[in-house]
Amino acid sequence: MERTVNPLRVAVIGGGPGGLHAAALLKRLDPAREITVWERNAPDDTFGFGVVLSDETLGGIEHADPVVFAAMQSDFVRWDDIDIVHRGVRHTSGGHGFAALGRRRLLEILHDRCRALGVDLRFRTEAPVGLAETHDLVIAADGVNSTTRGTHAHVFRPHVTPHHCRYIWLAADFPFEAFRFEIAETEHGVMQLHGYPYAPDASTVIIEMREEVWRAAGFDEVPARESTESCAKIFADALRGRPLRSNNSAWTTFRTVVNERWSHGSTVLLGDAAHTAHFSIGSGTKLAVEDALALAACLEEHPSLERALAAYEAERKPVVASTQRAARASLEWFENLGLHLDQPPRQFAFNLLTRSRRVTHDNLRLRDARFTDSVEREFGCPPGTPPMFTPFRMRGLTLRNRVVVSPMDMYSATDGVPGDFHLVHLGARALGGAGLVMTEMVCVSPEGRITPGCTGLWNGRQTEAWKRITNFVHERSPGTAIGVQLGHSGRKGSTRLMWEGIDEPLPEGNWPVVAPSPLPYKPSSQTPRELSRAQLTDIRLQFTQAAWRAARAGFDLLELHCAHGYLLSGFLSPLTNRRTDAYGGSLARRLRFPLEVFAAVREVWPQERPMTVRVSATDWAEGGNTAEDAVGIARAFAAHGADAIDVSTGQVVAEEQPEYGRSYQTPYADRIRHETGVPVIAVGAISSWDDVNSLILAGRTDLCALARPHLYDPHWTLHAAAEQGYDGPGVVWPDPYRAGSRRPQTGRTDAPKPRLTLGT
């Protein structure tokens, strides 16, 4: 039986901003409610010093409780700039619009409001056991170490992820003029300062560094007071020679908290008990306050408590997940800060500003066009040229822009021969303006196909069919390059067409599949035969013969497919390669056969034409390849002559657990690029021209490959140019289409992001 939606007895566990704001809102909406807040600490005990809130959050507070908003507004410190200081040079970006106040002051405002409304505040008091039995609603706002969450872990099913940096909350007795990021390269390693004003005479200062740097500096062996003094000396210029102040601060590591469920009966999680987001995007208090606003609204709008709590969770989870993805991207950027230290100064600053993917190239131009123009000039963009329309050279091939039509299997060939569909499909995308158009994976043998509908390059008929397509691209879209991706399906072969059952075996007519080891992809898949030495030689020859035919067919670039669990990828992953001979075991031995194939193909592929390699940079599975392994794999291929690494992830094992999200694979490309020095192609949920410009200008990739956007719009690149008002080098409208380039635009499909108060 459903409980009443109007809980008259409400218990709030935790006296932080989220719990207090929820208590005040619920009491204001119904003064008859009996609301008690239990807080184990004293009223003025709190970690941290300043709180940053967005205009969006403040608007919600103003609408829900004008009294609290007015009190907060009178104490806000506001500023617009972000300063980035690296190697003694400061770069400033404006237009970001921050608002902050002291955390203690915020708590005082909420204490006063709760008391005025009649909320019972009990400090220095642990919440009693069994509140759910005596109260209609229990709001667990008891923080990242939530006892409530731990007690009912079997229901909430929390996932807590630790990270690699140590940090400490401190304060300085003067106001920074801007949100300040400062990098210190010490004898122990890289340290960073995050600072911002929260009062006319005070600033929050967070010092952060990787665990190994913290230990190398000896901060694990001395009291926090001594390490704080050392940090004040390291960042003396930023601090104007002044000391850092502590509030019983301690070094800690950040943990990302995610819960599968947020409610259990009449108990609901709120704030850090439900979720955490890294401090570098300033969202902890913001999320908790927004939770309180949403919970109060849902309790008013729904006819039962169960429905209200379900609505609260449904409303907040997507918002929080998006924020957590941005926070995770920011956190990992700072964890791997050392990768970017040698970037040109302005590019480094732009990279830092866009690290969470919430601030983008176009968005930053709206905020501070002067700063963005300076970054583009340093990058080498001619005036008015978006970064995506700058050229890129590999060997004898110059791509007129940085957009790649990603390889996409069409499953529409007959006996491996590409037909009219492929001509129209690839021809349309070549006319659409991309610098490079890639074929689907072209198989090197009939047994190497994924499905009966896959294309091939194992005979002359197929060669001539591909030549028809490359001739069309070169003749009708001059300046567009077309590349071929060669591969062998391995254990993922002999399956149905994608729309008939992806990765499912054929109902009849199956051919035998082979792999490094006799491990089926899925329980329903065929068990492959383990390849013998003689068969490895045969397959290597199949690749070289296919490459020779690809050259005759007129392709400008060749990519070797070593990703997604297909044959060569199967050798690279320890999850799919269990061999005990020279081709299995260590990473170097697992690399042996893919490198042999690469070397053989490179020998027959024309020297002036580039070769790339697609890799899965992580298997997304325990015991599989990691980002560190991907760097080693990329470095090995680069040493053998690869001109670029096409960085994808996963699809190696069926039990993978990918972490999807916007541009979610880009950090792997970024890491490979900076650790190996080899150019990279980034792929994976890159969907807007703003993303492409941002990633390229930040130096996280050299080229961006897009798949689904090009299925939706074959002329995606031309439309991106038109939407940016650009018609210069790097953009070629086919003569029959040029009139369309001047057609008045009725709206933007990639509108600028709204101005964000939280500029980081």
Side-chain angles (χ1 to χ4, degrees):
M1 186 168 178
E2 292 185 326
R3 295 170 182 256
T4 175
V5 74
N6 186 28
L8 296 178
R9 301 197 70 205
V10 180
V12 180
I13 307 173
L20 292 170
H21 193 45
L25 290 174
L26 292 176
K27 187 70 172 177
R28 180 172 183 266
L29 289 168
D30 186 351
R33 286 173 173 145
E34 178 186 316
I35 301 179
T36 306
V37 177
W38 279 272
E39 169 55 53
R40 69 179 65 176
N41 296 314
D44 58 350
D45 284 348
T46 182
F47 75 92
F49 295 89
V51 173
V52 183
L53 295 172
S54 71
D55 284 340
E56 180 184 16
T57 305
L58 293 175
I61 294 172
E62 182 179 20
H63 177 75
D65 195 336
V67 173
V68 169
F69 176 78
M72 293 171 63
Q73 190 175 39
S74 65
D75 282 281
F76 274 136
V77 175
R78 293 184 179 271
W79 71 99
D80 287 323
D81 290 347
I82 297 175
D83 286 342
I84 297 157
V85 183
H86 174 42
R87 293 181 175 169
V89 178
R90 181 178 70 178
H91 291 286
T92 300
S93 172
H96 297 275
F98 294 91
L101 77 164
R103 185 176 176 89
R104 282 183 176 173
R105 177 56 186 146
L106 175 59
L107 292 176
E108 289 173 1
I109 291 169
L110 293 172
H111 292 162
D112 291 344
R113 184 59 171 153
C114 284
R115 291 189 182 102
L117 291 167
V119 174
D120 183 4
L121 300 179
R122 301 185 183 183
F123 296 104
R124 301 185 180 88
T125 306
E126 292 283 352
V129 176
L131 286 174
E133 299 172 6
T134 57
H135 289 72
D136 302 308
L137 174 65
V138 178
I139 300 174
D142 47 348
V144 65
N145 298 312
S146 171
T147 300
T148 308
R149 186 184 68 225
T151 301
H152 303 288
H154 63 290
V155 177
F156 296 123
R157 295 192 291 276
H159 301 271
V160 181
T161 305
H163 299 288
H164 301 298
C165 283
R166 289 273 180 169
Y167 68 96
I168 188 169
W169 290 88
L170 302 165
D173 293 324
F174 71 92
F176 282 120
E177 298 173 354
F179 205 126
R180 187 180 183 103
F181 294 99
E182 181 149 344
I183 314 303
E185 297 175 70
T186 75
E187 61 182 312
H188 309 296
V190 181
M191 304 179 185
Q192 57 255 21
L193 175 149
H194 311 240
Y196 58 88
Y198 68 86
D201 59 352
S203 297
T204 290
V205 176
I206 306 167
I207 307 296
E208 183 184 26
M209 64 200 71
R210 287 186 66 95
E211 175 86 16
E212 59 267 27
V213 177
W214 180 73
R215 292 186 181 279
F219 293 167
D220 60 326
E221 298 177 346
V222 298
R225 175 184 55 79
E226 291 186 27
S227 60
T228 297
E229 292 172 355
S230 297
C231 289
K233 294 176 182 177
I234 291 168
F235 291 101
D237 288 345
L239 298 171
R240 307 174 189 177
R242 302 189 186 192
L244 287 167
R245 174 163 52 89
S246 172
N247 180 23
N248 295 319
S249 306
W251 292 96
T252 188
T253 56
F254 188 81
R255 290 173 292 162
T256 297
V257 174
V258 176
N259 284 278
E260 293 186 25
R261 291 188 58 185
W262 290 12
S263 63
H264 169 45
S266 60
T267 300
V268 62
L269 302 179
L270 185 148
D272 283 356
H275 47 71
T276 59
H278 192 247
F279 58 81
S280 60
I281 68 166
S283 290
T285 301
K286 165 185 159 65
L287 288 177
V289 169
E290 290 176 350
D291 283 353
L293 291 165
L295 179 60
C298 289
L299 287 167
E300 289 297 300
E301 295 167 358
H302 293 274
S304 70
L305 183 63
E306 284 80 358
R307 293 185 189 182
L309 297 185
Y312 160 71
E313 189 168 337
E315 176 184 334
R316 291 298 294 156
K317 264 191 170 181
V319 176
V320 170
S322 176
T323 301
Q324 287 187 311
R325 284 194 295 271
R328 180 70 176 261
S330 178
L331 176 155
E332 291 178 349
W333 193 92
F334 280 111
E335 283 185 340
N336 297 299
L337 177 63
L339 293 177
H340 307 109
L341 294 177
D342 292 329
Q343 284 190 303
R346 288 183 179 84
Q347 186 179 56
F348 176 86
F350 180 86
N351 197 350
L352 187 151
L353 290 169
T354 59
R355 68 194 181 279
S356 74
R357 305 167 203 153
R358 287 197 159 185
V359 175
T360 63
H361 172 265
D362 198 45
N363 178 259
L364 197 55
R365 179 173 293 286
L366 289 176
R367 300 169 188 236
D368 190 343
R370 185 176 179 180
F371 171 80
T372 308
D373 287 343
S374 72
V375 180
E376 290 177 351
R377 284 195 302 272
E378 185 178 74
F379 182 78
C381 298
T385 302
M388 66 186 290
F389 291 113
T390 55
F392 186 75
R393 185 176 179 83
M394 291 184 283
R395 295 197 184 224
L397 178 66
T398 298
L399 302 179
R400 66 185 179 199
N401 60 54
R402 307 296 185 100
V403 179
V404 179
V405 177
S406 194
M408 294 175 281
D409 288 318
M410 294 290 106
Y411 308 110
S412 300
T414 301
D415 296 327
V417 179
D420 289 347
F421 175 87
H422 298 84
L423 174 66
V424 174
H425 167 68
L426 293 169
R429 280 140 192 89
L431 293 172
L436 172 64
V437 176
M438 292 297 300
T439 69
E440 61 197 85
M441 185 177 91
V442 177
C443 305
V444 298
S445 68
E447 300 77 23
R449 291 175 297 166
I450 307 167
T451 75
C454 290
T455 58
L457 260 174
W458 63 80
N459 62 40
R461 185 179 170 207
Q462 295 159 353
T463 306
E464 291 304 311
W466 282 117
K467 189 172 184 179
R468 175 183 177 225
I469 294 170
T470 62
N471 284 344
F472 176 88
V473 171
H474 293 145
E475 292 170 8
R476 303 299 296 181
S477 185
T480 296
I482 181 166
V484 60
Q485 185 188 71
L486 291 185
H488 187 297
S489 60
R491 69 176 186 159
K492 295 178 75 175
S494 190
T495 61
R496 305 180 190 189
L497 304 183
M498 179 179 66
W499 47 87
E500 295 176 351
I502 189 168
D503 295 323
E504 290 300 322
L506 291 168
E508 58 183 5
N510 285 99
W511 58 86
V513 295
V514 295
S517 301
L519 304 169
Y521 179 64
K522 299 195 308 185
S524 60
S525 302
Q526 282 193 65
T527 298
R529 293 179 299 175
E530 180 170 312
L531 287 162
S532 67
R533 292 289 191 99
Q535 289 173 313
L536 293 179
T537 300
D538 291 342
I539 288 174
R540 186 169 63 243
L541 180 60
Q542 291 168 0
F543 271 96
T544 58
Q545 290 174 334
W548 178 80
R549 294 188 181 97
R552 286 193 59 210
F555 286 105
D556 302 298
L557 174 147
L558 186 149
E559 179 166 282
L560 192 64
H561 201 338
C562 297
H564 299 170
Y566 298 122
L567 183 67
L568 299 182
S569 170
F571 274 90
L572 293 175
S573 173
L575 297 177
T576 52
N577 183 346
R578 305 289 177 82
R579 299 174 74 99
T580 57
D581 63 2
Y583 293 98
S586 67
L587 179 59
R589 291 159 74 101
R590 301 197 308 273
L591 268 161
R592 183 174 176 180
F593 183 64
L595 289 175
E596 286 180 357
V597 172
F598 180 92
V601 170
R602 181 69 268 185
E603 188 173 345
V604 301
W605 184 245
Q607 285 301 306
E608 72 279 7
R609 301 187 205 178
M611 272 187 67
T612 63
V613 180
R614 173 166 275 203
V615 301
S616 286
T618 175
D619 292 343
W620 296 118
E622 186 175 353
N625 279 332
T626 64
E628 291 78 10
D629 297 317
V631 170
I633 291 168
R635 187 173 282 125
F637 280 112
H640 280 68
D643 299 291
I645 304 298
D646 187 355
V647 187
S648 186
T649 63
Q651 302 180 53
V652 175
V653 292
E655 60 271 22
E656 67 176 2
Q657 294 184 310
E659 296 175 4
Y660 293 118
R662 179 177 165 202
S663 306
Y664 70 105
Q665 297 176 150
T666 301
Y668 297 94
D670 187 7
R671 180 168 183 174
I672 287 172
R673 185 179 191 269
H674 285 94
E675 287 203 28
T676 68
V678 65
V680 297
I681 306 169
V683 303
I686 302 170
S687 58
S688 72
W689 51 257
D690 197 14
D691 285 339
V692 175
N693 284 329
S694 301
L695 295 170
I696 290 167
L697 192 57
R700 295 178 199 143
T701 188
D702 298 281
L703 300 167
C704 286
L706 298 90
R708 287 180 177 87
H710 281 116
L711 292 179
Y712 179 76
D713 180 3
H715 299 93
W716 185 90
T717 307
L718 294 179
H719 293 160
E723 289 163 8
Q724 295 176 81
Y726 178 73
D727 192 22
V731 177
V732 178
W733 282 81
D735 290 337
Y737 293 176
R738 178 155 288 280
S741 71
R742 296 187 293 273
R743 181 177 178 179
Q745 298 297 304
T746 58
R748 294 179 59 162
T749 59
D750 193 349
K753 310 300 183 291
R755 174 177 168 144
L756 302 175
T757 298
L758 283 180
T760 54

